[in-house]
Structures are given as C-alpha cells and as structure tokens.
C-alpha cells in the first residue's frame, strides 16, 4: 500500500518517515514528506497555523500613534515623517530618504527622476513582484525583461551585457534598442527576498551601456552588499513598508538617494509641487499627492527602532532552516552569496533542477497542514499585460519560477530559538 501524500506528511511529522524505510512510497511523496518534516522541526509550532510573514509590534508603535492622534498631527506634516526619514537615511547610509504612500509610487517617482520618459524601455528582471513592472508603466515606460542568476535570484549582469550587445547601441543620450527603436533609459535590479544582486558587476555593465541604476530595494531594508547597506549603489532606490515587509508602516514606501537636487525634487513633486508660502496656494507643475501621512510614519519609526533585533531574529531563523536542510537531497535553502549579508526577509527553498514537479505537492502539503508557503511570483511575461514586452532569453528565471517555495519567515520564529 502506497501512503497518500497527507499520510506521508502525517507520518513524517511524528518522526516516522515511511519513504526511507518501506521503499513503497512514490519517490516524490517521500521527498515532499521529508521537506515538510524539516520545516516542522524548524518551526516547532505544535500544530498551530503559521503565517508566511507576520508583522511584529513590540516597540513604540502604539505610543507614537496615540501621540499623533492626541496632538492632531495625523497627515502630511508632523515630526514622525521627518524622524522616520532621518532614521531610514541613517540605516541605509544615504543622505536622503523621502517617505511615500507606497513602494510602487516610490519606484515610479524614482524612475521619473532617473530620466525615464514616455516611450522609454527600462530593464527589469522577469522574476519580480508585479509592482516593479507597473511602476515602469506608470511613468510612461515599457518594461524590458531580463533573466536572473541562480546564485543571487536577481538580474544576471553577464547575461544582460551579452543581450545588450545583441540588441542595443549606445547613443548621445544613452542607450537605444536597435530592434524597437526605443531608448533604454534605466536598469532596475531587484534584490529578491532581500538577497542583493552582484551590484559591482551590474554597475560595470550599466556604465558600459550608459544606463542609470534605480534599485528596487523594496524587500531588502537591512541587507548588506560587501558590508554596506543596499539602496546606495544606484542613483536612487525605493523601499516598501507594506504589511508583509521587514518593517511596516501599514502601507508606504520611500526613495533613497544621496543626490541633494534629486531629493529636493522628489519632495517637491510628491507634495503637489507647492511652492513654500505662508498662505498662498501656488504650484509650479503637475505634482502628485504621494507623501506618507504622519500616522504611518509614527508606526514606521517604532518599527525601525527594532530593525536590528528583527534582522538578528530573521537571520537566526534562516540559519536554522539552512542547518536543517543541509542534508536534504531534494532542495536547498537559498543562502547568502559571498558578497552579501541578506536581511533574510523571506527564506526561499529551492528545489533541485529536475524536481520542479514537487512544487505543487509541496505547496499543497504545507498549506493543507496550516503551514503557509507561497511560490515565487508568476514571471512578468506570463501575465497578460506584459506578454508582449521586449525580453531576452529567460530560461533561468523560468526554471527558478517552478522551483522556489517561500517558507514561513516571521521574526517570532527566529526569536523562539
Ligand atoms: C513590495 C514590493 C514592491 C511594492 O511595494 P508596495 O509598497 O506594495 O507598493 C515593489 N517591488 C517589490 C519587489 C516588492 O516586493
């Protein structure tokens, strides 16, 4: 009798792994049961449901929030926006942080400030959250999809360089796609799950093709590249503080830059382009209302004060997963590259090449048993609105898409060591 998948999972949880002893279990089900058992041992949850990533409010969040309400400073002016921005800039090693209503609009404004104009193409990885591509569209551009690197899960600089050599040429105003006739205006790497791409290698390629870098650092607050925080290697970077990110403001984002003029301009156009005056309403261009309210910044400041503890806990949890999976033949935990110390935002399990067919059963076995796991995002060119955009060979991203499963990664599981 071959046990069903759920029987195998149940047996694995109690420590009796039937696949290894009876040999009757379909090899795939035994691998899935083994992976679930390892996840269970790391979480030690005693049967309670586990979220993929839950926020933790253990600091001054409530006190700061009440202070906003008590003083009436709830909206676009107030000390918490300024304090949050100063703390963010310090944590990221940049001169300026400009808080915004979401990570998506922070990306949009960053791209606009980097010079992306209507009709331009922007290089982004195909393996990213849809907001990266949407932000390009929102500023009038078109995503141009690039492949990822198995070692970083982010943009592959070598492959991008070879692709640009095939399709692009440098011009007086930057870079042009010879196939489409459009300008390629920027490259926007994304640090997947907080794992930094090889920024030095990418910087070299970007410089050769005269492309400014805008970092989509939405997932990577606290991640280090060669010992320094990410978000300062490009002209601009964007962070997100959505509820599932390492630090949350409920909803929000920020632009990081060390360029004084860009920072001034970011502030200006995201606050309706209003000229300072004691009472006159004078606006000198079509601006946005993209600023972060003081209420959200108050929560964010309380969160940011705990960042070091969050990072320690999340890195400890990632290490426990890595140790538990060290002897697993079917899958590996994606760890830090030599150049990086990631923030361990979400811990990705990567199935071995050839075992992609285990992804669905693994998602089913975990989610059916109260362990919330998720696949990586559907690749951009497989979404209807981006099916026709320019792209290069995406074989590594396509392989990774079918093999990545994100594991529960909340701070609380790192604390309960
Ligand atoms: C979360 C996220 C964003 C967008 O952030 P929002 O604050 O939700 O708008 C952008 N890019 C990536 C890679 C993200 O993970």
């Amino acid at each position: 009798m071959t046990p069903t998948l759920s029987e195998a999972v149940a047996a694995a949880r109690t420590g009796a792994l039937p696949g290894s002893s009876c040999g009757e279990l379909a090899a795939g089900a035994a691998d899935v049961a083994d992976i679930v058992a390892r996840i269970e041992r790391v979480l030690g949850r005693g049967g309670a449901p586990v979220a993929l990533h839950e926020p933790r409010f253990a600091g001054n969040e409530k006190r700061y929030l009440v202070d906003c309400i008590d003083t009436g400073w709830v909206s676009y002016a107030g000390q918490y926006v300024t304090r949050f921005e100063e703390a963010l800039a310090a944590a990221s090693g940049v001169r300026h942080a400009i808080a915004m209503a979401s990570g998506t609009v922070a990306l949009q404004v960053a791209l606009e400030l980097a010079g992306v104009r209507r009709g331009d193409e922007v290089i982004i990885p195909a393996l990213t959250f849809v907001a990266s591509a949407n932000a390009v569209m929102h500023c009038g551009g078109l995503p141009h999809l690039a492949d990822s690197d198995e070692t970083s899960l982010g943009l592959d600089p070598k492959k991008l360089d070879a692709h640009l050599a095939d399709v692009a040429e440098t011009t007086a105003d930057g870079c042009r796609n010879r196939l489409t006739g459009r300008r390629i205006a920027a490259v926007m790497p994304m640090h997947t799950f907080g794992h930094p791409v090889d920024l030095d290698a990418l910087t070299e390629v970007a410089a050769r093709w005269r492309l400014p870098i805008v970092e989509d650092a939405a997932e990577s607050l606290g991640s280090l590249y060669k010992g320094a925080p990410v978000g300062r290697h490009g002209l601009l970077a964007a962070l997100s503080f959505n509820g599932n990110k390492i630090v949350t403001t409920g909803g929000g984002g920020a632009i990081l830059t060390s360029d004084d003029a860009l920072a001034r301009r970011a502030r200006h156009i995201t606050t309706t382009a209003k000229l300072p005056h004691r009472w006159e309403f004078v606006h000198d261009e079509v601006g946005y209302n993209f600023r972060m309210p003081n209420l959200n910044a108050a929560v964010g400041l309380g969160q940011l004060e705990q960042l070091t503890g969050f990072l320690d806990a999340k890195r400890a949890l990632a290490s426990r997963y890595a140790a538990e999976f060290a002897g697993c033949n079917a899958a590996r935990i994606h760890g830090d590259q030599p150049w990086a110390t990631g923030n361990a935002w979400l811990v990705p399990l990567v199935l071995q090449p050839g075992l992609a067919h285990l992804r669905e059963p693994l998602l089913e076995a975990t989610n059916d048993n109260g362990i919330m796991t998720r696949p990586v995002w559907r690749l951009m060119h497989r979404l209807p609105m981006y099916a026709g955009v320019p792209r290069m060979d995406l074989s590594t991203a396509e392989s990774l898409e079918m093999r990545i499963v994100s594991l529960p990664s909340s701070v609380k599981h790192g604390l309960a060591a």
Side-chain angles (χ1 to χ4, degrees), residues 102-105 107 128-129 131-132 190 216 218-219 239-242 244-245 252-253 345 377:
S102 74
T104 306
V105 299
L107 284 172
T128 187
F129 179 56
S132 316
M190 193 278 283
D216 182 345
E219 305 180 353
L239 300 173
S240 166
F241 309 110
N242 185 24
N244 64 357
K245 297 301 199 301
W345 171 56
W377 314 278

Side-chain angles (χ1 to χ4, degrees), residues 125-136:
L127 184 103
T128 187
F129 179 56
V130 70
S132 316
N134 290 347
V136 173

Side-chain angles (χ1 to χ4, degrees), residues 10 46 63 112 122 126 137 152 156 168 172 178 207 209 211 214 223 247 263 267 280-281 288 324 378 384 389 394 405:
R63 192 161 73 78
E112 195 177 317
V122 175
M137 298 295 285
S152 74
D156 180 337
R178 285 186 286 106
W209 293 97
L211 297 170
V214 174
S223 294
V247 157
R267 255 177 238 291
E280 291 283 0
F281 294 102
Y288 301 106
E324 185 59 54
R378 176 84 44 105
V389 303
L394 299 172
V405 173

